[in-house]
């Protein structure tokens, strides 16, 4: 699966660079990516439904379901501060860049407006790298640590782009936690970027 | 929010009439959708005008800003899941 994902990613980038994104099959796929995601989520819902007792397990988590997004936000901000110390960027910019939690499109544009083109570019590329890293680290983390920890590198993308890898390498229960985490992190990103940039 | 609603619709359908013998077809369809989504993400990245230029100008700083937040997130989340979510290495519940 990892190899297939890598081939699909590199193939897509190559098509984009070569200008093939306007050809019929590629354009159809790209313009219908939301529909593909919805079909995937419907199929995931079927998988979850076939797994008896999973909803009951999720309910049992109660307030503890928030530990994953809380850990991701705390860890990301700490990592942003460390990166800032190493690169010499101001603390507020560093924390704000890390606050993207993998959501490269939003963080790139927002930081670009707040702190200038360079910070915007770093936010875009670092969060993009985080998303790509998540794809390929999920199988390793699932094997070496545990399933819920796979959600950590994915951050805000755990409800959409990295969800397919979560589906392949973890279980239905973790997929539900992953979607929940993605919703919380995605909602937090705009506030976190603004808060970190203005108050750190 | 749409994603959650659609996922819930899938759960409902599976509870009402989805045959278990179609589980493998469901998994195959998931794989195809997954690869199409990853491919479309690649196309969107590659078609950005400044994609290659961005990589070459702020590549190293961006690498650090990806590496530390991602790794620190895992370092923060792993012990929390061990303490609060009570899962074993293979994802099964502890007895």
């Amino acid at each position: 699966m990892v190899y297939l994902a890598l081939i699909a990613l590199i193939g897509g980038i190559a098509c984009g660079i070569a200008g093939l994104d306007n050809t019929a099959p590629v354009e159809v796929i790209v313009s219908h990516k939301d529909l593909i995601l919805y079909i995937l989520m419907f199929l995931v819902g079927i998988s979850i439904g076939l797994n008896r007792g999973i909803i009951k397990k999720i309910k049992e988590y109660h307030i503890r379901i928030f530990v994953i997004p809380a850990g991701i936000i705390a860890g990301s901000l700490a990592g942003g501060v460390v990166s800032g110390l190493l690169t010499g960027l101001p603390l507020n910019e560093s924390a704000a860049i890390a606050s993207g939690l993998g959501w490269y499109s939003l963080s790139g544009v927002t930081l670009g407006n707040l702190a200038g083109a360079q910070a915007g570019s770093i936010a875009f590329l670092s969060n993009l790298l985080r998303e790509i890293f998540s794809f390929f680290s999920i199988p390793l983390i699932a094997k070496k640590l545990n399933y819920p920890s796979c959600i950590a590198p994915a951050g805000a993308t755990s409800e959409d782009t990295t969800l397919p890898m979560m589906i392949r390498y973890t279980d239905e229960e973790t997929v539900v936690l992953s979607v929940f985490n993605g919703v919380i992190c995605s909602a937090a990103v705009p506030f976190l970027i603004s808060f970190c940039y203005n108050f750190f | 929010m749409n994603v959650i609603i659609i996922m819930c619709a899938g759960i409902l359908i599976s509870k009402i009439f989805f045959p278990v013998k179609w589980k493998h077809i469901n998994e195959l369809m998931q794989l195809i959708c997954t690869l199409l989504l990853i491919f479309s993400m690649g196309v969107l990245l590659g078609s950005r005008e400044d994609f290659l230029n961005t990589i070459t100008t702020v590549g190293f700083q961006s690498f650090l800003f990806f590496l530390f937040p991602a790794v620190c997130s895992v370092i923060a989340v792993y012990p929390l899941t061990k303490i609060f979510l009570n899962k074993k290495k293979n994802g099964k519940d502890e007895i």
Side-chain angles (χ1 to χ4, degrees), chain A residues 34-184:
Chain A
D34 287 343
L35 178 66
I36 298 169
L37 177 66
Y38 293 153
I39 293 169
L40 178 63
M41 289 315 301
F42 183 75
L43 298 170
V44 169
I46 290 173
S47 287
I48 292 167
L50 290 174
N51 192 323
R52 306 292 173 203
I54 188 171
I55 304 297
K56 191 183 166 195
K57 276 186 189 174
I58 297 296
K59 282 181 185 169
E60 284 171 3
Y61 284 136
H62 197 50
I63 194 77
R64 292 175 298 155
I65 203 166
F66 287 97
V67 298
I68 297 177
I72 288 171
I73 291 169
S76 296
L77 293 182
V81 169
V82 173
S83 306
L85 293 173
L86 290 172
T87 57
L89 281 183
L91 195 62
N92 63 334
E93 278 185 30
S94 306
I97 289 168
S99 299
L101 305 178
W103 192 353
Y104 60 86
S105 53
L106 180 81
S107 59
V109 173
T110 310
L111 258 299
N113 290 334
L114 281 173
Q118 192 191 3
S121 298
I122 294 171
F124 166 77
L125 192 55
S126 60
N127 283 291
L128 171 65
L129 286 170
R130 181 168 181 167
E131 183 174 291
I132 294 171
F133 168 77
S134 304
F135 268 125
F136 303 107
S137 66
I138 285 167
L140 186 70
I141 295 171
K143 196 174 175 185
K144 299 288 181 188
L145 299 177
N146 59 16
Y147 288 167
S149 297
C150 296
I151 302 169
T157 68
S158 69
E159 66 167 326
D160 42 51
T161 46
T162 53
L163 189 63
M165 293 300 274
M166 223 69 79
I167 294 163
R168 296 295 300 176
Y169 288 99
T170 66
D171 55 8
E172 283 84 357
E173 192 180 330
T174 308
V175 169
V176 176
L177 290 174
S178 178
V179 172
F180 179 81
N181 172 77
V183 171
I184 298 294

Side-chain angles (χ1 to χ4, degrees), chain A residues 1 4-5 8-9 11-13 15-17 21 26 29-30 33 36-50 52 55 57 61 64 67-68 71-72 75-76 79-80 82-84 86-87 89 94 97-98 104 118 121-122 124-126 128-131 133 135 141-149 152-153 159 164 167-168 171 173-174 179 183, chain B residues 1-4 6-15 18-20 22-23 25-48 50-52 54-93:
Chain A
M1 174 63 196
L4 288 174
L9 181 67
I13 291 172
C15 281
I17 291 172
D21 50 321
V26 178
I29 294 169
V30 174
K33 66 180 172 49
I36 298 169
L37 177 66
Y38 293 153
I39 293 169
L40 178 63
M41 289 315 301
F42 183 75
L43 298 170
V44 169
I46 290 173
S47 287
I48 292 167
L50 290 174
R52 306 292 173 203
I55 304 297
K57 276 186 189 174
Y61 284 136
R64 292 175 298 155
V67 298
I68 297 177
I72 288 171
S76 296
V82 173
S83 306
L86 290 172
T87 57
L89 281 183
S94 306
I97 289 168
Y104 60 86
Q118 192 191 3
S121 298
I122 294 171
F124 166 77
L125 192 55
S126 60
L128 171 65
L129 286 170
R130 181 168 181 167
E131 183 174 291
F133 168 77
F135 268 125
I141 295 171
K143 196 174 175 185
K144 299 288 181 188
L145 299 177
N146 59 16
Y147 288 167
S149 297
E159 66 167 326
I167 294 163
R168 296 295 300 176
D171 55 8
E173 192 180 330
T174 308
V179 172
V183 171
Chain B
M1 188 53 75
N2 289 349
V3 167
I4 294 173
I6 291 166
M7 191 172 76
C8 290
I11 294 171
L12 194 66
I13 295 292
S14 70
K15 296 285 183 194
F18 193 84
V20 179
W22 289 359
K23 194 178 175 185
I25 296 170
N26 183 35
E27 287 171 356
L28 179 65
M29 291 288 289
Q30 284 182 32
L31 176 64
I32 292 167
C33 289
T34 300
L35 294 176
L36 288 175
L37 279 174
I38 295 170
F39 176 79
S40 65
M41 187 183 86
V43 173
L44 288 172
L45 291 176
S47 59
R48 282 178 68 108
D50 57 347
F51 179 62
L52 292 176
T54 303
I55 288 178
T56 50
T57 51
V58 290
F60 180 67
Q61 284 178 311
S62 302
F63 179 78
L64 292 179
F65 273 100
F66 122 73
L67 185 67
F68 284 100
V71 171
C72 288
S73 293
V74 178
I75 292 169
V77 168
Y78 178 62
L80 289 173
T81 62
K82 296 292 279 184
I83 295 165
F84 293 106
L85 300 186
N86 205 23
K87 306 256 288 186
K88 284 204 302 191
K89 189 176 175 180
N90 63 359
K92 304 287 184 192
D93 287 342

